[in-house]
Amino acid sequence: MCRWLAYSGSPIMLEELLYKPAHSLIDQSRHARLGVETTNGDGFGVGWYPDGHQDGTAEPAVFRAVGPAWSDRNLHELAHCVRSPLFLAHIRASTGTAVQQTNCHPFRYGRWLWLHNGAISDFPVLKRDLALAVDASLYPYIEGSTDSELMFYLALTFGLRDDTPGAVERMAGFVEAVAAGHGVTDPLQMTVAVSDGERLWAFRYSTCRASRSLFFSTSVQALRALHPDNPVLHRVSDETRIIVSEPLGDLPGAWNPVPESCYALVRDGHDSIHMFQPAAP
Amino acid sequence: MCRWLAYSGSPIMLEELLYKPAHSLIDQSRHARLGVETTNGDGFGVGWYPDGHQDGTAEPAVFRAVGPAWSDRNLHELAHCVRSPLFLAHIRASTGTAVQQTNCHPFRYGRWLWLHNGAISDFPVLKRDLALAVDASLYPYIEGSTDSELMFYLALTFGLRDDTPGAVERMAGFVEAVAAGHGVTDPLQMTVAVSDGERLWAFRYSTCRASRSLFFSTSVQALRALHPDNPVLHRVSDETRIIVSEPLGDLPGAWNPVPESCYALVRDGHDSIHMFQPAAP
Amino acid sequence: MCRWLAYSGSPIMLEELLYKPAHSLIDQSRHARLGVETTNGDGFGVGWYPDGHQDGTAEPAVFRAVGPAWSDRNLHELAHCVRSPLFLAHIRASTGTAVQQTNCHPFRYGRWLWLHNGAISDFPVLKRDLALAVDASLYPYIEGSTDSELMFYLALTFGLRDDTPGAVERMAGFVEAVAAGHGVTDPLQMTVAVSDGERLWAFRYSTCRASRSLFFSTSVQALRALHPDNPVLHRVSDETRIIVSEPLGDLPGAWNPVPESCYALVRDGHDSIHMFQPAAP
Amino acid sequence: MCRWLAYSGSPIMLEELLYKPAHSLIDQSRHARLGVETTNGDGFGVGWYPDGHQDGTAEPAVFRAVGPAWSDRNLHELAHCVRSPLFLAHIRASTGTAVQQTNCHPFRYGRWLWLHNGAISDFPVLKRDLALAVDASLYPYIEGSTDSELMFYLALTFGLRDDTPGAVERMAGFVEAVAAGHGVTDPLQMTVAVSDGERLWAFRYSTCRASRSLFFSTSVQALRALHPDNPVLHRVSDETRIIVSEPLGDLPGAWNPVPESCYALVRDGHDSIHMFQPAAP
């Protein structure tokens, strides 16, 4: 059970979201409110697209480490000096796999980033069949041992780079099909963020239709109308969008749940919500 | 705010106390109930005297690491294969000093082990005066940056090896005197365990007389009378004594608070409680 | 390119071989003489069977960490207090895979330990075909990403527990067959140690018949005849056998190369050398 | 025995010096040529001033970690995306003190960075007297246990911020005086780099006048005249200056030794060499 956030908007320092909010991601590493576990201390990671390259051609940088985020000094330094228009951050609570850098999110392939909260049930039982379905040209890039990374490589295999939502739907459908073959029920729990540097998708789905929490931020214009005297809202740009496992603060009206079995797409400062439907690959 | 335990009795595997109890120390690393923080994930350590050397001549071994105890595989391996008649274990929640091995408890000097829960208030203000009071022959052995280690070296300076309770009282008195000189109020919060391999002392004290929790186990004979059908109580030896920051389980009658401003001494299978009174060095 | 040692004999402290010899394994971590790399600083591990359980029923303990062995304080503590009649130790120089605990040797399955020096050429190209051949019941136990661990699970798949040398020969033959299918030449370089707690095997093989160095110690009786005044030789037991990547010292007559394409078997204080011949699985 | 480099010039990516040269600092972490040790695997660090703030008001960022630099993926990521006009980098070979982040260079105080290669002889004997001389207002900022950090805080105590060369001379003189009082001969070996973001000083000194190697780069204009066809020399700016423990490559004429008992000052694209003379504080 993990926590994550994804940001898209005018370039900001990472610390603005990782450290400064009342219930920032770093605060959630010790005091998550909505998760199964309150502690997310099994490693962390942040991936960011460079400022000045919003054309989607630049590869993102990734910083990942195995200790708890709350005491990591390098993360604190980085968050204070890195500015980005699009970044994803994750704090991990392992569901059994090893605490190691290659199991920390986000995972990267070329200019794609992927992170996940949730789990595949009975993953040790299903892992081999899932791994065998990964395209042979992609297989060597799998470095860790998590279900999350394998879901990424399955989605890449099923066309993530050409049809992102469709590929994630096929990945989910494939996991459910393999699980059915092994008699595993309710196999998939996932909130997933994925980006190519231009677009940001956030998926909320679970086989049992009781998915982990996921929220997206209200449009800044609407929030300014609600809270005309809030100075923060005048500093951030109109196209700011934040998607989070749990809200970063208590500002009324600021956070909206992503509906069950849906995904959000953020692009060019606009967002939209779409249905998510697992499919056969 | 940390959690710790100390064991004295017939030799047992470390895992019997570190992992097996319902509310074991490892469980407390994520879910402490009585501490200021529920999470103690800033490193851990265990120090143990070797089995077969209860003559107090053997130096203890120490295993310390900077990650959370709950996910440390080496600790799990060790706890499964190391047997000891006297050991101390500690899980750390840093109050600001760096998360590094040299700040993990227990600290060792010769055959002495020391661990601490609590803090010296305004430690950065007081640190220099405290460090200068450490005997010049002991000073080079200070490796870390914590108040806890410095308290150990002050106690060693003030005669820990000859008069253990007296030296701890002088250390406490000295800390309070230095604090008074700097206008720092309520400077000391401490529960401390110290051992030389033969004897085990556990101190509970705070300047404000509202000390952190500390419990010692009821005598096994008395517990057997209370719970004649409990099989665990027939496996452990009569001289077993456990001292803990918080109880390892909910067995009625098993745990007794160490009174405010007191210390417990365990020796040769007997324990006694004594008053603790800070003194001028 | 790694360095390793394996010990079988009367129970000794780990430090006797890890730290005390002139060219001990710890010394080799910084100053290897015979390896491709002089530095082996990408993690280390030691696996040992408990003293007093030479019946081959006890599971070994394993201690592994990702930093260099030369500065690891916990290894030093452990080596000073753990006594064992049969242990394997390894210092790693990564050939590309991640520096993480699950990639450190020895690998363990039940009461079996495995460690490896060498490499599979073009491993990223061959990895998927090799992984698919691992028995479905064993597959979930693969935790890391190395060729070495995969070789272990292939050998387990091919009968390691029943016919150890035969299974290693089938593993080697299978790797060579898969490599041939991908046009990879000279695919296998290996010195491997494997044990079940009773017996110890050490293999030296490479497809190109130019294998990495491997030595076994001369019988203690013979050494005593050569060096009647050497006090060390009177302290160790007659059945002592040590197998190493490179000699631990310069005592004339003490170290003998394992011949090319051979393996050594140590059992009940006796050793023997046998031919090694890769085979179709 | 460590290796380091310092760069001042037009803003460049850190990787240009850390990774790309033939004998880059990362290469030196495994294969130093001029050091006492070939391996510098006991942690590393880099401190950089932000691009666009050459007015000396910006605080530098610091990234430090305890593993070997050669396998650190985060350093690789960082070096690929951080651009700076002035940075210092260090790879550590511990001379005995703990391998921990607070012992990694560079050390930072406000906008000042400090790094050191060398040692104070018999440091455990001298440490207390040295530490007591640190100004009480600076003392709490000491976090680690090295001689290097203590030298920094002594220099700060003796006026580093107002008269940098003079303060380093007083620090050296004080160390030598304390050593004399304890009968320690030849106490100081040092090459030191220090910067405030505008200016960069590099000191080469040892009590025995046989100091560790230190080189500064020839002016780019002079190098272009020597090697008119070298394309690299046309890419770097005229004001580029690099100071290193050992040369990054073999370009004839590119590297000049800093003379014994001298320091270099780089400021506004110019450099100058001055005599260094320890002094009483």
Side-chain angles (χ1 to χ4, degrees):
Chain A
M1 184 49 152
C2 313
R3 304 281 86 181
W4 59 260
L5 72 75
Y7 171 85
S8 174
S10 53
I12 60 169
M13 288 293 184
L14 302 187
E15 67 183 358
E16 295 292 335
L17 293 188
L18 297 188
Y19 287 90
K20 291 192 177 173
H23 190 49
S24 72
L25 199 69
I26 301 305
D27 181 62
Q28 292 178 28
S29 68
R30 260 194 285 211
H31 305 293
R33 298 171 183 175
L34 304 183
V36 173
E37 275 284 354
T38 56
T39 306
N40 294 279
D42 298 330
F44 66 88
V46 56
W48 67 96
Y49 294 90
D51 192 6
H53 295 269
Q54 283 89 329
D55 56 355
T57 59
E59 291 206 357
V62 173
F63 177 81
R64 303 187 293 177
V66 299
W70 67 73
S71 62
D72 195 276
R73 294 182 176 202
N74 289 326
L75 178 62
H76 192 266
E77 292 286 314
L78 213 68
H80 187 64
C81 72
V82 168
R83 179 188 298 276
S84 170
L86 204 170
F87 60 91
L88 285 67
H90 187 274
I91 50 176
R92 186 169 181 242
S94 168
T95 51
T97 45
V99 177
Q100 58 193 23
Q101 199 176 17
T102 55
N103 285 350
C104 292
H105 310 221
F107 302 100
R108 175 178 59 191
Y109 182 83
R111 57 193 175 88
W112 291 81
L113 289 177
W114 172 281
L115 54 71
H116 168 233
N117 171 34
I120 293 177
S121 303
D122 283 326
F123 180 57
V125 173
L126 309 181
K127 184 176 184 180
R128 186 169 177 271
D129 284 356
L130 298 176
L132 304 203
V134 172
D135 188 84
S137 68
L138 293 165
Y139 186 90
Y141 295 94
I142 299 174
E143 283 204 304
S145 56
T146 60
D147 48 3
S148 307
E149 187 189 25
L150 199 42
M151 288 162 66
F152 181 29
Y153 280 90
L154 286 169
L156 283 163
T157 297
F158 298 147
L160 188 76
R161 287 162 287 183
D162 298 317
D163 168 18
T164 303
V168 178
E169 289 178 329
R170 287 185 284 277
M171 178 276 291
F174 180 71
V175 169
E176 293 181 335
V178 167
H182 285 271
V184 172
T185 54
D186 286 342
L188 190 56
Q189 258 290 0
M190 68 175 224
T191 67
V192 162
V194 57
S195 180
D196 64 352
E198 286 187 288
R199 296 160 294 174
L200 169 66
W201 294 262
F203 298 85
R204 181 173 184 231
Y205 175 72
S206 58
T207 312
C208 64
R209 305 302 193 268
S211 302
R212 304 288 165 80
S213 61
L214 190 65
F215 298 86
F216 64 100
S217 60
T218 299
S219 85
V220 174
Q221 297 96 317
L223 275 177
R224 284 197 202 110
L226 274 171
H227 305 278
D229 299 332
N230 188 310
V232 173
L233 298 174
H234 291 275
R235 286 208 308 269
V236 298
S237 68
D238 284 5
E239 67 270 29
T240 295
R241 294 294 183 283
I242 309 172
I243 305 175
V244 289
S245 298
E246 55 184 88
L248 303 178
D250 297 322
L251 188 67
W255 301 101
N256 315 282
V258 173
E260 183 66 51
S261 303
C262 282
Y263 69 90
L265 166 60
V266 180
R267 182 174 192 166
D268 297 335
H270 296 92
D271 55 46
S272 52
I273 300 284
H274 309 263
M275 298 299 296
F276 180 86
Q277 177 69 43
Chain B
M1 185 51 151
C2 313
R3 305 281 85 182
W4 59 260
L5 71 75
Y7 172 84
S8 173
S10 53
I12 61 169
M13 287 295 183
L14 302 188
E15 68 182 358
E16 294 292 335
L17 293 189
L18 297 188
Y19 287 89
K20 290 192 176 173
H23 191 48
S24 72
L25 199 68
I26 300 305
D27 181 63
Q28 292 178 29
S29 68
R30 259 194 286 207
H31 305 293
R33 298 170 183 176
L34 304 183
V36 173
E37 274 284 354
T38 55
T39 306
N40 295 277
D42 298 329
F44 66 87
V46 56
W48 66 96
Y49 294 89
D51 191 6
H53 294 270
Q54 284 88 330
D55 55 356
T57 59
E59 291 205 358
V62 172
F63 176 82
R64 303 187 294 178
V66 299
W70 68 73
S71 62
D72 196 276
R73 295 184 175 199
N74 288 326
L75 178 63
H76 192 264
E77 292 286 313
L78 212 69
H80 187 66
C81 72
V82 167
R83 179 187 298 276
S84 170
L86 204 169
F87 60 92
L88 285 68
H90 186 275
I91 49 177
R92 185 168 181 243
S94 168
T95 51
T97 45
V99 176
Q100 58 192 23
Q101 200 176 18
T102 56
N103 284 350
C104 292
H105 310 221
F107 303 99
R108 174 177 61 190
Y109 182 82
R111 59 194 173 87
W112 292 80
L113 288 177
W114 172 281
L115 54 71
H116 168 233
N117 172 32
I120 293 178
S121 303
D122 283 326
F123 180 58
V125 173
L126 308 181
K127 185 176 183 181
R128 187 168 176 270
D129 285 355
L130 298 175
L132 304 202
V134 172
D135 189 84
S137 68
L138 293 165
Y139 186 90
Y141 295 94
I142 299 175
E143 283 204 301
S145 55
T146 61
D147 49 2
S148 307
E149 186 189 26
L150 199 43
M151 289 162 67
F152 181 29
Y153 279 91
L154 285 169
L156 284 163
T157 297
F158 298 146
L160 188 75
R161 287 161 288 183
D162 298 318
D163 168 18
T164 303
V168 178
E169 289 178 329
R170 287 186 285 278
M171 177 277 290
F174 180 72
V175 169
E176 293 181 335
V178 166
H182 285 270
V184 172
T185 53
D186 287 343
L188 190 57
Q189 259 289 1
M190 68 175 226
T191 67
V192 162
V194 56
S195 180
D196 64 353
E198 286 187 290
R199 297 160 294 175
L200 170 66
W201 295 263
F203 298 86
R204 182 175 183 229
Y205 175 72
S206 58
T207 311
C208 64
R209 305 302 193 268
S211 302
R212 305 288 165 77
S213 61
L214 190 65
F215 298 86
F216 64 99
S217 61
T218 300
S219 85
V220 174
Q221 298 93 319
L223 276 177
R224 284 195 201 109
L226 274 172
H227 306 280
D229 298 332
N230 186 312
V232 174
L233 298 173
H234 292 275
R235 287 209 307 268
V236 297
S237 69
D238 284 4
E239 68 272 28
T240 295
R241 293 294 183 284
I242 309 172
I243 305 177
V244 289
S245 298
E246 56 185 270
L248 303 178
D250 298 322
L251 188 67
W255 301 100
N256 315 284
V258 173
E260 182 64 52
S261 302
C262 282
Y263 70 89
L265 166 60
V266 179
R267 181 174 194 166
D268 297 334
H270 297 92
D271 56 47
S272 52
I273 301 285
H274 308 265
M275 299 298 297
F276 181 86
Q277 177 68 43
Chain C
M1 186 50 155
C2 312
R3 304 282 86 182
W4 59 259
L5 71 75
Y7 172 84
S8 173
S10 53
I12 62 168
M13 287 293 185
L14 302 187
E15 67 182 357
E16 295 292 336
L17 292 188
L18 297 188
Y19 288 88
K20 291 191 176 174
H23 191 49
S24 71
L25 198 68
I26 301 303
D27 181 61
Q28 292 178 28
S29 69
R30 260 193 287 206
H31 305 292
R33 298 169 184 176
L34 304 183
V36 172
E37 274 284 355
T38 56
T39 306
N40 296 277
D42 298 330
F44 65 88
V46 55
W48 67 95
Y49 294 89
D51 191 8
H53 294 269
Q54 284 89 330
D55 55 355
T57 58
E59 292 205 357
V62 172
F63 176 81
R64 303 187 294 177
V66 299
W70 66 74
S71 62
D72 196 276
R73 295 184 174 199
N74 289 326
L75 178 63
H76 192 266
E77 292 285 314
L78 212 70
H80 187 65
C81 72
V82 167
R83 180 187 297 276
S84 169
L86 204 169
F87 60 91
L88 285 68
H90 187 276
I91 50 177
R92 185 168 181 244
S94 168
T95 51
T97 46
V99 176
Q100 57 192 25
Q101 200 176 17
T102 56
N103 284 350
C104 292
H105 310 220
F107 303 99
R108 175 178 59 191
Y109 182 83
R111 58 193 174 86
W112 291 80
L113 288 177
W114 173 282
L115 55 71
H116 168 235
N117 172 32
I120 293 177
S121 303
D122 283 326
F123 180 57
V125 173
L126 308 181
K127 186 176 184 181
R128 186 167 177 271
D129 284 355
L130 298 175
L132 305 202
V134 172
D135 189 85
S137 68
L138 293 165
Y139 187 90
Y141 294 95
I142 300 175
E143 283 203 303
S145 55
T146 62
D147 48 3
S148 306
E149 186 189 26
L150 198 45
M151 288 162 66
F152 182 27
Y153 280 89
L154 285 170
L156 284 163
T157 298
F158 298 147
L160 187 76
R161 286 162 287 184
D162 299 317
D163 168 19
T164 303
V168 178
E169 289 178 329
R170 287 185 286 277
M171 178 276 291
F174 180 71
V175 169
E176 293 181 335
V178 167
H182 285 269
V184 172
T185 54
D186 287 341
L188 190 57
Q189 258 289 1
M190 69 175 225
T191 67
V192 162
V194 56
S195 180
D196 64 352
E198 286 186 289
R199 296 161 295 175
L200 169 66
W201 295 262
F203 298 86
R204 181 173 184 231
Y205 175 73
S206 58
T207 311
C208 64
R209 303 304 192 266
S211 301
R212 305 287 165 80
S213 62
L214 191 64
F215 298 86
F216 65 98
S217 60
T218 299
S219 84
V220 175
Q221 297 95 317
L223 275 177
R224 283 196 202 110
L226 274 171
H227 306 280
D229 299 332
N230 186 313
V232 172
L233 298 173
H234 292 275
R235 285 210 309 270
V236 297
S237 69
D238 284 5
E239 69 271 28
T240 295
R241 292 295 183 282
I242 309 173
I243 304 175
V244 290
S245 298
E246 55 185 270
L248 303 178
D250 298 322
L251 189 67
W255 301 100
N256 314 284
V258 173
E260 183 63 53
S261 303
C262 282
Y263 69 90
L265 166 60
V266 179
R267 179 175 196 166
D268 298 333
H270 296 91
D271 56 46
S272 52
I273 301 283
H274 309 264
M275 298 298 296
F276 180 86
Q277 178 67 45
Chain D
M1 185 50 153
C2 314
R3 303 282 87 180
W4 59 260
L5 71 75
Y7 172 84
S8 173
S10 53
I12 60 168
M13 288 293 185
L14 302 187
E15 68 182 358
E16 294 292 337
L17 292 188
L18 297 188
Y19 288 89
K20 290 191 175 172
H23 191 47
S24 71
L25 198 70
I26 301 305
D27 182 62
Q28 292 178 29
S29 68
R30 261 193 285 208
H31 305 293
R33 298 169 184 177
L34 304 183
V36 174
E37 275 283 355
T38 56
T39 307
N40 296 277
D42 298 329
F44 66 87
V46 56
W48 67 96
Y49 294 90
D51 191 6
H53 296 267
Q54 284 88 330
D55 56 355
T57 58
E59 293 206 356
V62 172
F63 176 80
R64 304 186 295 178
V66 299
W70 68 73
S71 62
D72 196 276
R73 295 183 174 200
N74 289 325
L75 178 63
H76 193 265
E77 293 285 314
L78 213 67
H80 187 65
C81 72
V82 168
R83 179 188 298 275
S84 169
L86 205 170
F87 60 91
L88 285 67
H90 188 275
I91 50 176
R92 185 169 181 242
S94 168
T95 52
T97 45
V99 177
Q100 57 193 23
Q101 199 177 17
T102 56
N103 285 350
C104 291
H105 309 221
F107 303 100
R108 176 179 58 192
Y109 181 82
R111 58 193 175 90
W112 291 80
L113 288 177
W114 173 281
L115 53 71
H116 169 233
N117 172 31
I120 293 177
S121 302
D122 283 327
F123 180 57
V125 172
L126 308 182
K127 185 176 185 181
R128 187 168 178 271
D129 284 356
L130 298 176
L132 304 202
V134 172
D135 188 83
S137 68
L138 293 165
Y139 187 89
Y141 295 93
I142 300 174
E143 283 202 303
S145 55
T146 60
D147 48 4
S148 306
E149 187 190 25
L150 199 43
M151 289 162 67
F152 181 28
Y153 280 90
L154 285 170
L156 284 163
T157 298
F158 298 147
L160 187 75
R161 286 162 288 182
D162 298 318
D163 168 18
T164 303
V168 178
E169 289 178 329
R170 288 186 284 277
M171 177 276 290
F174 180 72
V175 169
E176 293 181 335
V178 166
H182 285 271
V184 172
T185 54
D186 285 343
L188 189 57
Q189 259 290 1
M190 67 176 227
T191 68
V192 162
V194 57
S195 180
D196 64 352
E198 285 187 290
R199 296 161 294 175
L200 169 65
W201 294 262
F203 298 85
R204 182 172 184 232
Y205 175 73
S206 57
T207 312
C208 64
R209 305 302 192 267
S211 302
R212 305 287 166 79
S213 61
L214 190 64
F215 299 85
F216 64 99
S217 59
T218 299
S219 83
V220 174
Q221 296 95 318
L223 276 176
R224 283 195 201 112
L226 274 171
H227 305 279
D229 299 332
N230 187 311
V232 172
L233 298 173
H234 292 275
R235 285 211 308 269
V236 297
S237 68
D238 285 4
E239 67 271 29
T240 295
R241 294 293 183 284
I242 309 172
I243 305 175
V244 290
S245 297
E246 56 184 89
L248 303 178
D250 298 322
L251 188 67
W255 301 101
N256 315 284
V258 174
E260 182 65 53
S261 303
C262 282
Y263 69 90
L265 166 60
V266 180
R267 181 174 194 167
D268 295 335
H270 296 92
D271 56 47
S272 52
I273 300 285
H274 309 264
M275 299 298 296
F276 181 86
Q277 177 68 44

